[in-house]
Amino acid sequence: MNSALIRQLTVAALKAGTTDAGDRVYTPRDWPTHSADYPALMVQTPFDHKHSMGRNAPQFVSVTTVRITGRVEAFDTADAECGALLAEEALERLRLQVEQAVINSYELTRQTQQYKEVRSTIDVDSGGESHIGQLLYEIDMEYYQGPEDFYPVASTPLESLTFRHSEPDGTAQTGFDADLTT
């Protein structure tokens, strides 16, 4: 287990969940977005913290912060200047959907020890023609890392196998050759 796998599992959970973003869940990607992208979710793992479990083998209780940035866009209606309210409501709905998709993910729950902490903020900007809303959702996921995570076994792939049976002189040699590359 590592932060890259946590990120990939989070993206899979968000895509499998029923968020307003649908399949517009990105990682990694350039962060600038435009109207055609909304609503969208962008996932990254900016913080990884390891707490040693002792002096002997490399064993850690690791905490990875998964940051999910959600973006929405809303316009004022013909009847009222309610774009900010619509953006805020869309962000609140998206926050709940993200939370449910991630926390209810079987794979994330199975491969982590706990969701240590959750933080979220909502911001709406009305500086342009529309109201752009942004959700910043951070969840700290705790998991174990041990020697198997730090000492991968380096090996040479087995490509072929030749087996010959020793026979007395003057008799036919028995055995077989196997090509394992196909």
Side-chain angles (χ1 to χ4, degrees), residues 72-113:
V72 299
E73 180 178 40
F75 293 90
D76 291 333
T77 64
D79 302 336
E81 292 183 12
C82 59
L85 174 63
L86 294 174
E88 183 97 15
E89 289 174 344
L91 289 170
E92 289 171 341
R93 185 173 55 250
L94 192 59
R95 175 173 39 197
L96 179 61
Q97 293 167 348
V98 165
E99 190 166 81
Q100 290 172 343
V102 173
I103 291 176
N104 289 332
S105 166
Y106 173 75
E107 278 304 310
L108 280 169
T109 302
R110 187 176 73 78
Q111 298 204 36
T112 59
Q113 292 174 315

